[in-house]
Amino acid sequence: MPVRLAEPRSITMTADDGELRAALREANLPTLLLVLAQFTGDEGWLRAPYLPTRTRALNDNDDGGFPPEIQEEIRAAAFEVIREWRDGARPTPPPPADDELPGLLSISLGETVPREYAASLAIEGNLHPRPEVRWTHGRPSAADRLGVLVIGAGFSGIAAAVTLRQLGIPFTVIEKSDAPGGVWHQNTYPGAGVDTPSHLYHYAFAPTGSWTRYYAKQPEILNYINGTAQKFGVAERIRFGTEVERAEWDAARQRWTVTVRTREGVTERLEAAVVISCVGFLNRPSIPDFEGMDRFAGPMFHSAEWDHSVDLRGKRVAVIGTGATAMQIVPSIADEAQRVLVFQRSAQWVAPNLNYRRDVLPEVRLLMEQVPYYAAFYRMRLIWQFQDKLLATLRRDPHWEHPERSINATNEKHRRFFTEYVDRELGDRIDLRDKVLPTYPPYGKRILMDNGWIETVKRDDVELVAAGVRGFDEHHVRTEDGRRHRADVVVLATGFESSRMLAPMDIRGRSGVGLREQWGDDNPYAYLGITVPDFPNFFIVGGPNTALGHGGSNLFPSECAVAYIAQILVAMVERGMGAVEVKDTVCAEYNRRLHAEHEQLIWTHPGMTTWYRNRHGRVTAPLPWRGVDYFEMTRVPDFDDFVVTPTASTPVPAAIRGDRR
């Protein structure tokens, strides 16, 4: 049987008639129609006059474009059906079959969702577990002897831990911080939050309808991660305050020796047959080497290391950078600081999004938590809206006449749409137009949700400085145009060393050559972003070229990678494999195809710099294919891609304590 990470929630309704009616008044009608059709089996709810208008851009299309009388008819019918179910007069219907989902979503969204999405939609909606992640004939006792060490207890590390626990494979998680959460534990700056819809930003195996915002803030996300670790019983398997320094492969013994250091400075050596790195690529702050940083008299800190002891009231605060982090910080501190100065190398495209600052009403949370399939259908709609449909518009047209501003006709339409939005938001502040409007094509850098950015930079007490930072003196930020800007506090919203993956760990594989030596300082590569030649039994979740640069939740490729790795571990136990190493030719061919595809996409456009590329111009972060393509690529491992060595000796459990120094 497949491993069931989460049973279908046993949903019961506590709402009375009045509460149910109130909730249905706030329902997303295209979602509610799918629930109604599922409960009744009446396909008439999926035909005219109940066909929603097309869901466009980032809009939820809550009323479906229906006239008021049709809206009320849908709500009234849903009330009767759900009340009957609540009162025991109607059974909970089975979920739709996988192959029905694309058609249902096509009706709900008003556009065609390809049939190839069927399997991934079912799994993302938690309608059933991944059928591939399972023991063939029940868990064998040999699983006791396969030990796994997981590095990192962020989203990816917890997903790996939950899967290992459900399979009954011994494991230990090593986490350098004092709590789980990864970037969501580390980043506590004002306004910290996600720019992916909350209802996409949770594990497929651990759905929740309790989000209080459509785009959750850091405390709520961290609570979700902590709650998941507790719910699935993996929190007690995490060693906090412990950092991996080195890992060395012993080919004769077919295991890794991993050197860790505790917060007290004690060094230990642990052993494991398998190591899974889940540290991601946004975990090491990028600190620029500006001239005179040590001379600045006031507080200076990176956004990921926010100093909450610093009182910003009455202070002139300089924020260096205008990326996603700065766009969250600046509107959040503008009311508190005396003046905020924002230093910008290049402008960012911002997208209007009515949901970004919107709370999820209690009535909507009731539907998410108490009505079968409502949350699942709502999530599946988001998957299509936000995850894959955009990618086709990001291909560079070699015959396009205006490559300096856009890459194809559709991208030009996007440019006009975003430009018109910025112009409307600016109003009479045309003096800011050249500062806030980018010159490069939309989506060339990560598109950002408007968090009140335009309205904030219009304020009299906020100054947008469109000049690069040159350095500092005791009380000023010095810019490349020769100006000096007085500041009391400096916030470095300068991002992360995204291309220096796995730094500063020293990982040494079969040849004894370090992974960083093979990769170079900032040129990571892997097969499927998961495994690297010369490093047997070493896997990466959140590895090179696995980010969804075109949109969607990065939990999706992480869960794909975890499922892929889990199947390899099952095969290692069942088939007596002692070491599994991807072939060099397989990895090289995969990366050749990957970079050939990137050459056709916007992230290799020469008109901008982006953290998606390393200093040599190679794209290291985004996946060039659709999420559904990556789902299929990682769905089942092909062992012809690997050099497999039979088990040479009995492996040891996950983490055996060696010498303490």
Side-chain angles (χ1 to χ4, degrees):
M1 292 290 291
V3 173
R4 165 60 80 175
L5 295 180
E7 294 298 329
R9 287 184 295 165
S10 178
I11 295 178
T12 57
M13 176 166 282
T14 60
D16 60 26
D17 285 2
E19 291 168 329
L20 178 56
R21 287 188 189 277
L24 291 171
R25 282 196 292 272
E26 305 297 336
N28 176 270
L29 294 184
T31 301
L32 188 63
L33 277 166
L34 296 182
V35 174
L36 190 54
Q38 195 63 27
F39 262 100
T40 63
D42 183 355
E43 294 185 359
W45 292 112
L46 305 177
R47 295 192 289 266
Y50 309 111
L51 295 178
T53 56
R54 183 183 176 190
T55 300
R56 296 183 181 275
L58 306 181
N59 178 21
D60 264 358
N61 195 23
D62 281 336
D63 65 11
F66 295 115
E69 62 274 15
I70 296 295
Q71 294 183 38
E72 289 309 308
E73 183 181 350
I74 295 168
R75 293 187 183 101
F79 173 79
E80 295 299 330
V81 168
I82 295 170
R83 181 172 64 173
E84 290 174 5
W85 165 78
R86 180 199 64 188
D87 296 341
R90 182 184 289 270
T92 303
D98 291 10
D99 60 6
E100 295 175 347
L101 293 173
L104 293 172
L105 268 292
S106 297
I107 292 168
S108 180
L109 289 160
E111 60 182 293
T112 301
V113 177
R115 295 182 62 83
E116 62 193 305
Y117 282 82
S120 63
L121 284 171
I123 289 166
E124 285 298 295
N126 195 36
L127 300 184
H128 61 71
R130 286 179 178 262
E132 303 87 6
V133 181
R134 62 187 180 90
W135 298 108
T136 305
H137 301 293
R139 180 187 179 278
S141 60
D144 294 336
R145 301 191 296 274
L146 180 69
V148 180
L149 189 142
V150 178
I151 308 172
F155 261 120
S156 296
I158 298 301
V162 169
T163 302
L164 292 169
R165 189 179 187 280
Q166 294 290 336
L167 286 168
I169 294 174
F171 70 94
T172 296
V173 181
I174 301 296
E175 169 54 51
K176 63 183 175 64
S177 299
D178 57 6
V183 295
W184 296 110
H185 173 74
Q186 182 181 14
N187 287 268
T188 61
Y189 58 82
V194 70
D195 57 7
T196 299
S198 302
H199 298 91
L200 269 186
Y201 205 68
H202 60 67
Y203 299 115
F205 65 81
T208 177
S210 64
W211 297 113
T212 62
R213 294 175 58 97
Y214 283 95
Y215 287 78
K217 293 301 183 183
Q218 178 265 345
E220 191 167 14
I221 299 168
L222 189 60
N223 285 340
Y224 171 76
I225 298 171
N226 284 326
T228 303
Q230 294 291 338
K231 175 182 177 180
F232 288 92
V234 300
E236 62 269 21
R237 307 293 292 275
I238 306 172
R239 287 190 53 180
F240 296 111
T242 305
E243 186 165 7
V244 172
E245 293 186 332
R246 184 182 178 92
E248 299 171 90
W249 174 250
D250 184 333
R253 300 171 64 232
Q254 295 179 330
R255 60 185 58 120
W256 288 91
T257 299
V258 182
T259 303
V260 302
R261 183 177 297 274
T262 69
R263 64 166 63 92
E264 295 81 16
V266 177
T267 297
E268 298 181 43
R269 289 182 179 171
L270 310 176
E271 290 190 348
V274 174
V275 172
I276 305 175
S277 172
C278 297
V279 300
F281 47 84
L282 298 179
N283 67 330
R284 297 285 172 177
S286 177
I287 309 293
D289 187 20
F290 291 127
E291 178 184 306
M293 292 179 74
D294 57 343
R295 293 179 56 200
F296 186 73
M300 179 186 292
F301 47 83
H302 192 275
S303 57
E305 299 166 339
W306 193 273
D307 187 344
H308 291 277
S309 70
V310 176
D311 188 352
L312 301 183
R313 289 175 296 181
K315 301 290 194 337
R316 295 173 63 89
V317 181
V319 178
I320 314 298
T322 51
T325 297
M327 279 204 176
Q328 294 180 344
I329 291 174
V330 173
S332 301
I333 66 173
D335 287 338
E336 184 178 1
Q338 177 195 27
R339 187 169 186 79
V340 180
L341 301 96
V342 187
F343 294 85
Q344 170 183 279
R345 282 189 309 176
S346 61
Q348 303 280 349
W349 286 108
V350 294
N353 188 327
L354 296 176
N355 276 350
Y356 193 75
R357 293 186 280 177
R358 182 181 168 203
D359 291 336
V360 181
L361 295 174
E363 293 84 355
V364 175
R365 295 202 299 274
L366 187 153
L367 297 174
M368 295 283 186
E369 295 173 334
Q370 298 190 26
V371 175
Y373 304 120
Y374 185 92
F377 282 134
Y378 181 79
R379 175 178 166 94
M380 285 186 258
R381 282 171 49 84
L382 293 177
I383 288 170
W384 178 247
Q385 283 178 265
F386 285 83
Q387 198 142 291
D388 274 358
K389 62 183 287 186
L390 179 70
L391 185 60
T393 73
L394 302 184
R395 300 191 73 81
R396 295 160 63 180
D397 179 352
H399 305 296
W400 182 241
E401 296 179 354
H402 306 290
E404 75 285 354
R405 71 186 191 207
S406 52
I407 60 169
N408 56 45
T410 303
N411 191 243
E412 177 68 14
K413 291 179 182 178
H414 290 157
R415 181 184 180 84
R416 289 200 299 268
F417 173 79
F418 293 136
T419 299
E420 290 168 2
Y421 170 72
V422 169
D423 284 340
R424 287 196 304 272
E425 291 294 300
L426 284 176
D428 59 2
R429 289 298 307 274
I430 57 175
D431 58 301
L432 290 172
R433 193 174 192 269
D434 288 343
K435 291 184 178 181
V436 300
L437 268 181
T439 57
Y440 55 86
Y443 299 100
K445 297 186 181 186
R446 178 182 178 187
I447 202 78
L448 303 177
M449 301 296 108
D450 187 4
N451 187 35
W453 175 254
I454 304 297
E455 65 186 55
T456 300
V457 298
K458 289 167 58 178
R459 293 172 55 140
D460 293 338
D461 55 358
V462 174
E463 180 180 356
L464 182 59
V465 182
V469 173
R470 179 178 178 183
F472 299 86
D473 61 28
E474 287 185 350
H475 301 291
H476 299 87
V477 181
R478 296 164 46 228
T479 48
E480 292 172 347
D481 58 7
R483 297 171 61 198
R484 296 164 73 238
H485 307 264
R486 187 170 181 83
D488 303 309
V489 179
V490 172
V491 178
L492 301 171
T494 48
F496 298 85
E497 296 180 339
S498 57
S499 290
R500 299 189 70 239
M501 293 185 186
L502 308 190
M505 294 186 293
D506 182 12
I507 313 294
R508 297 190 174 270
R510 176 174 46 79
S511 69
V513 178
L515 181 58
R516 300 213 55 74
E517 296 172 62
Q518 297 197 29
W519 275 353
D521 188 55
D522 65 347
N523 194 33
Y525 60 86
Y527 176 56
L528 300 173
I530 297 173
T531 182
V532 184
D534 197 42
F535 293 84
N537 298 8
F538 180 81
F539 304 101
I540 308 169
V541 182
N545 298 110
T546 59
L548 296 180
H550 57 279
S553 170
N554 280 316
L555 273 64
F556 177 79
S558 290
E559 290 191 63
C560 288
V562 168
Y564 181 87
I565 295 165
Q567 292 175 73
I568 292 176
L569 302 186
V570 166
M572 289 177 69
V573 172
E574 293 186 335
R575 304 184 198 177
M577 301 175 180
V580 176
E581 176 187 345
V582 68
K583 295 174 181 175
D584 185 74
T585 53
V586 169
C587 185
E589 172 59 18
Y590 172 81
N591 280 276
R592 185 200 64 76
R593 291 191 295 110
L594 182 146
H595 292 296
E597 188 69 13
H598 265 307
E599 286 300 317
Q600 309 302 314
L601 298 175
I602 193 168
W603 302 301
T604 51
H605 187 280
M608 72 272 172
T609 59
T610 169
W611 66 265
Y612 289 164
R613 297 198 301 246
N614 66 9
R615 57 196 168 96
H616 305 293
R618 179 177 173 271
V619 178
T620 61
L623 182 76
W625 297 294
R626 300 171 304 169
V628 71
D629 298 323
Y630 190 70
F631 174 85
E632 291 298 335
M633 289 175 185
T634 57
R635 195 169 182 181
V636 178
D638 181 351
F639 284 96
D640 287 340
D641 294 339
F642 296 88
V643 176
V644 175
T645 306
T647 301
S649 60
T650 302
V652 294
I656 292 183
R657 204 175 298 272
D659 60 15
R660 288 175 64 101
R661 296 179 298 192

